[in-house]
């Protein structure tokens, strides 16, 4: 256990060396007082460039912020999720008041209603004004705050597009409200729900009942994931949940995996290049991020073309690569492969010979291109 704690501490120290949490205090007219925030900006955040970032709002920020920030920093380093701005809201002395709801209709009242307005009308506008944000917003809550984040889904235009509800202590009517709302929602919503075998019994039972209702929904706009972990308690569950939740919400953002390659791309009856374009268009549509197509994703499509011997798709892949990486060999290599496999050796040779003016990339070298050109010249006597 001591060794595990040491590793975790070193993990956060390493993060701190790259980007430090910013501690801020925001004055709130809605709350009638100030509220402490913890904010973590992405590595390399530069106020002068044009890059913008999703925002992840973490309730119970006094203890949940570091767990979320550490996972986001780690996953974004490997490009499995987008770099994001993490905002933790301190509730150590106000949690009960912040999450207050009516016994009659299960909706926020009094200080709970004020906190609801604080997040939507003061906090998020402040973050949008102060930092370079994208529209995509994620809400994270645990226990009572996991119930609270659901109220934003009940609005006509939810301010959050993704919800991570960890062991939610659901108000009596919340499940019914959610099921009815998500049944007909017209915009894309990511919803992640988790409980465990050792969760508080009443919380686990309500989470299981909510899962039954949400699993029965037939709405393609709802991207829903549920985990019932074996072992963790109510208080240790966030450590197990947060990585799974991030993976689920940002699944399409991740590089093409072996599973995606084997089970989807190899079995396509349409163009794998169109699949690649659509993957990145979806990233743009969902998260507002104009992500550059990864070299490894180009390589995955190349491998599928080779394996299925659908060489005609090399032309589209070459044009796409030339657009994405115009100063490199990537596009010319795929176009040369297209000419080579479609009985146009002279065009292939000349395209390979263009190597000397372009940059090497992804294992495609000038020597490789020139060797291929020389081989064609030798074979056909050009």
């Amino acid at each position: 256990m001591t060794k595990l704690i040491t590793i975790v501490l070193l993990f956060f120290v390493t993060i701190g060396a790259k980007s430090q949490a910013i501690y801020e205090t925001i004055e709130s007219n809605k709350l009638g007082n100030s509220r402490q925030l913890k904010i973590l900006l992405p590595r390399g955040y530069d106020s002068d460039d044009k890059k913008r970032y999703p925002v992840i709002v973490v309730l119970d920020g006094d203890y949940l912020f570091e767990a979320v920030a550490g996972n986001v920093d780690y996953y974004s380093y490997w490009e499995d999720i987008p770099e994001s701005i993490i905002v933790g809201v301190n509730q150590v002395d106000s949690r009960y008041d912040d999450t207050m709801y009516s016994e009659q209709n299960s909706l926020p009242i009094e200080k709970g209603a004020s906190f609801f307005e604080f997040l939507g009308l003061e906090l998020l506008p402040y973050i949008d004004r102060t930092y370079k944000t994208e529209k995509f917003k994620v809400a994270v809550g645990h226990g009572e705050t996991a119930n609270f984040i659901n109220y934003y889904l009940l609005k006509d235009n939810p301010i959050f597009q993704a919800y991570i509800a960890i062991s939610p202590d659901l108000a009596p009517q919340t499940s019914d409200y959610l099921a009815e709302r998500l049944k007909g929602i017209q915009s894309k919503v990511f919803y992640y729900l988790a409980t465990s075998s050792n969760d508080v019994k009443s919380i686990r039972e309500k989470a299981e009942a909510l899962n039954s209702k949400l699993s029965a929904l037939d709405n393609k706009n709802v991207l829903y994931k549920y985990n019932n972990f074996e072992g963790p308690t109510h208080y240790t569950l966030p450590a197990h949940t947060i990585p799974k939740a991030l993976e689920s919400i940002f699944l399409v953002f991740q590089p093409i995996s072996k599973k995606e390659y084997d089970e989807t791309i190899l079995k396509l009856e349409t163009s794998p290049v169109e699949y690649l374009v659509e993957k990145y268009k979806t990233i743009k549509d969902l998260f507002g991020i104009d992500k550059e197509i990864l070299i490894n994703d180009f390589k995955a499509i190349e491998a599928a073309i080779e394996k299925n011997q659908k060489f005609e798709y090399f032309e589209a892949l070459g044009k796409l690569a030339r657009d994405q990486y115009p100063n490199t060999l990537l596009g010319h290599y795929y176009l040369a492969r297209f000419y080579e496999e479609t009985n146009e050796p002279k065009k292939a040779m000349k395209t390979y010979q263009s190597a000397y003016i372009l940059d090497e990339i992804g294992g495609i070298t000038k020597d490789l291109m020139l060797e291929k050109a020389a081989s064609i010249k030798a074979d056909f006597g050009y």
Side-chain angles (χ1 to χ4, degrees):
M1 175 61 80
T2 302
K3 184 176 180 181
L4 176 60
I5 292 172
T6 301
I7 290 171
V8 172
L9 288 175
L10 285 172
F11 179 63
F12 286 113
V13 167
T14 301
I15 291 171
K18 293 294 184 181
S19 73
Q20 298 285 342
I22 301 167
Y23 293 83
E24 295 189 9
T25 299
I26 181 173
E27 296 295 330
S28 170
N29 291 326
K30 298 296 181 182
L31 297 176
N33 55 37
S34 60
R35 189 56 62 94
Q36 293 180 336
L37 307 176
K38 286 188 279 189
I39 300 171
L40 187 73
L41 300 179
R43 305 181 187 211
Y45 181 93
D46 185 347
S47 58
D48 294 328
D49 65 27
K50 294 182 179 180
K51 188 172 183 180
R52 309 188 79 82
Y53 303 89
V55 176
I56 301 177
V57 175
V58 185
L59 302 189
D60 289 317
D62 35 286
Y63 70 88
L64 205 56
F65 173 81
E66 284 76 12
V68 175
N71 277 283
V72 170
D73 184 83
Y74 181 81
Y75 277 94
S76 63
Y77 178 84
W78 296 108
E79 298 185 304
D80 280 348
I81 70 172
E83 292 182 298
S84 302
I85 296 170
I86 318 301
V87 181
V89 183
N90 192 323
Q91 297 179 267
V92 65
D93 296 319
S94 59
R95 195 172 192 259
Y96 176 81
D97 290 341
D98 289 345
T99 58
M100 189 178 296
Y101 61 80
S102 166
E103 295 294 337
Q104 281 71 46
N105 62 14
S106 297
L107 298 176
I109 57 169
E110 300 177 10
K111 292 182 178 179
S114 297
F115 185 69
F116 180 87
E117 292 185 343
F118 160 70
L119 290 181
L121 300 178
E122 294 180 329
L123 175 63
L124 283 181
Y126 168 74
I127 296 299
D128 286 337
R129 288 194 309 270
T130 309
Y131 301 103
K132 301 188 307 172
T133 64
E134 285 287 0
K135 181 181 177 182
F136 192 77
K137 306 289 195 298
V138 183
V140 184
H142 177 220
E144 288 86 351
T145 60
N147 173 71
F148 188 84
I149 61 176
N150 292 310
Y151 296 132
Y152 293 98
L153 254 178
L154 306 183
K155 304 292 287 184
D156 288 338
N157 296 299
I159 59 175
F160 296 104
Q161 290 72 51
Y163 300 78
I164 300 176
I166 307 170
S167 184
D169 191 356
L170 296 168
Q173 297 179 54
T174 297
S175 292
D176 292 333
Y177 289 150
L178 274 179
E180 183 63 28
R181 172 68 173 130
L182 292 176
K183 180 171 67 175
I185 198 164
Q186 297 299 306
S187 57
K188 291 286 185 185
V189 170
F190 297 83
Y191 196 91
Y192 180 90
L193 172 66
T195 184
S196 70
S197 59
N198 285 326
D199 204 347
V200 177
K201 183 180 178 182
S202 61
I203 292 177
R204 186 185 71 248
E205 289 174 347
K206 285 186 284 188
E208 290 171 344
L210 175 59
N211 173 57
S212 296
K213 292 179 180 179
L214 298 188
S215 297
L217 293 177
D218 183 20
N219 185 344
K220 292 182 179 179
N221 287 322
V222 180
L223 304 167
Y224 173 63
K225 177 69 176 179
Y226 171 71
N227 279 130
N228 190 342
F229 292 89
E230 187 67 35
T233 66
H234 178 74
Y235 300 102
T236 62
L237 189 57
H240 298 262
T241 296
I242 292 165
K244 293 289 188 183
L246 293 172
E247 288 176 358
S248 173
I249 291 170
F250 295 109
L251 180 64
V252 71
F253 189 89
Q254 297 169 18
I256 292 172
S257 64
K258 186 177 187 304
K259 180 179 181 181
E260 185 178 3
Y261 174 80
D262 289 337
E263 297 182 6
T264 302
I265 295 173
L266 284 182
K267 297 178 181 179
L268 288 172
E269 296 183 1
T270 56
S271 167
V273 182
E274 290 178 3
Y275 176 90
L276 182 64
V277 171
E278 186 61 29
K279 176 182 174 75
Y280 280 80
K281 181 180 181 297
T282 300
I283 292 171
K284 174 68 174 177
D285 292 344
L286 290 177
F287 310 123
I289 297 171
D290 194 8
K291 183 181 181 182
E292 186 177 66
I293 299 177
L294 299 174
I295 298 298
N296 283 345
D297 285 353
F298 272 108
K299 292 288 187 180
I301 301 303
E302 174 192 350
I305 291 172
E306 293 276 9
K307 188 172 183 63
N308 291 328
Q309 297 186 354
K310 299 288 187 180
F311 301 115
E312 65 272 18
Y313 293 132
F314 269 133
E315 182 178 27
L317 189 65
K319 290 178 179 178
L320 180 62
R322 196 165 54 184
D323 178 64
Q324 289 280 308
Y325 298 94
N327 299 318
T328 75
L329 297 172
L330 195 65
H332 284 66
Y333 174 75
Y334 292 141
L335 288 172
R337 290 286 292 118
F338 167 71
Y339 295 134
E340 191 175 6
E341 296 292 348
T342 54
N343 299 315
E344 294 191 72
K346 185 171 285 189
K347 279 188 177 181
M349 181 185 70
K350 289 182 177 180
T351 306
Y352 282 131
Q353 287 172 338
S354 66
Y356 69 93
I357 62 171
L358 297 170
D359 297 331
E360 297 179 352
I361 187 172
I364 301 173
T365 65
K366 294 180 181 181
D367 287 344
L368 172 65
M369 298 282 282
L370 295 175
E371 285 172 9
K372 285 186 168 291
S375 177
I376 293 174
K377 184 175 182 178
D379 288 344
F380 290 91
Y382 295 130

